[in-house]
Amino acid sequence: LIRFLRRLSDMLGRIEKFVLMVLMAAVALFVLMNVTFRLFNVTLAWADELAILAMTLGGFIGASLMLRARTDPAVLILHDSGPKALVRVLRIIISALASAFGMVLFWLCWRWFDLPGLIAAGFDIPAYEVATFNFLYTEQTPVLALPYYWFFLVMPWFALTLTVHALTNLVEDLGLIDPPPPQEPTQSEV
């Protein structure tokens, strides 16, 4: 089970890296496109909106990756100056709290998207909204009028990957499995 958890975390990490690269390329493309068009006094509001949405999605995916890589913000003075036993205990506490946060967030997303309620309403969105006052499925982006819930799907994905990565970090911190060897930065990362 622990080895499966590590393999799952590694697989999710590879997917997240690819998606993050695509999203950051999209942000750069939309921003540069809009800057270029503004030179000719043309504003592309849809490009602004897509750049903002791509950056937001990238923020969630990047945060999950940072947690797994252990490059998330930390109080480094405690890690650098404290005894190894204290650092180990801090890492265990942080990984346990991150795991709990991911699980709670996933539960909240389950309640927010309310698939059982949507199914009970027969996928009739107006009837579902009247019964639950949950307007998630009819909210639209301001410019392109795209359904917001497609972009909100990053939240359950983030909750799932955060939980898997945090649990993987926790089993490594507990010594149940050896941490992966540190990787040398590739030429593209330098």
Side-chain angles (χ1 to χ4, degrees), residues 28-190:
L29 174 72
F30 292 134
V31 168
L32 289 173
M33 186 172 28
N34 211 358
V35 166
T36 303
F37 274 85
R38 284 186 184 176
L39 289 173
F40 304 104
N41 291 326
V42 176
T43 300
L44 303 174
W46 60 269
D48 279 344
E49 183 172 270
L50 287 176
I52 291 167
L53 290 168
M55 189 67 194
T56 304
L57 296 175
F60 282 103
I61 292 171
S64 175
L65 276 171
M66 286 175 61
L67 180 84
R68 178 61 183 124
R70 298 182 187 266
T71 57
D72 50 328
V75 182
L76 293 179
I77 194 163
L78 291 175
H79 289 264
D80 293 340
S81 63
K84 286 188 179 195
L86 173 66
V87 172
R88 184 170 187 261
V89 169
L90 286 174
R91 285 181 156 224
I92 290 170
I93 291 170
I94 291 166
S95 295
L97 288 173
S99 300
F101 174 75
M103 290 178 209
V104 169
L105 184 60
F106 193 81
W107 175 73
L108 291 171
C109 288
W110 177 258
R111 292 195 57 204
W112 184 31
F113 279 85
D114 192 19
L115 295 178
L118 190 60
I119 293 168
F123 295 97
D124 181 2
I125 302 294
Y128 170 77
E129 290 177 342
V130 167
T132 64
F133 294 107
N134 184 346
F135 300 96
L136 170 70
Y137 296 104
T138 55
E139 290 184 47
Q140 296 181 337
T141 61
V143 177
L144 292 173
L146 298 171
Y148 258 130
Y149 70 89
W150 287 111
F151 299 99
F152 291 157
L153 285 172
V154 75
M155 293 298 293
W157 173 264
F158 172 69
L160 173 71
T161 58
L162 178 82
T163 303
V164 169
H165 294 325
L167 286 172
T168 303
N169 287 350
L170 182 60
V171 297
E172 289 173 0
D173 294 338
L174 291 171
L176 301 175
I177 192 169
D178 292 331
Q183 295 178 349
E184 295 295 322
T186 63
Q187 187 64 25
S188 63
E189 294 173 335
V190 174

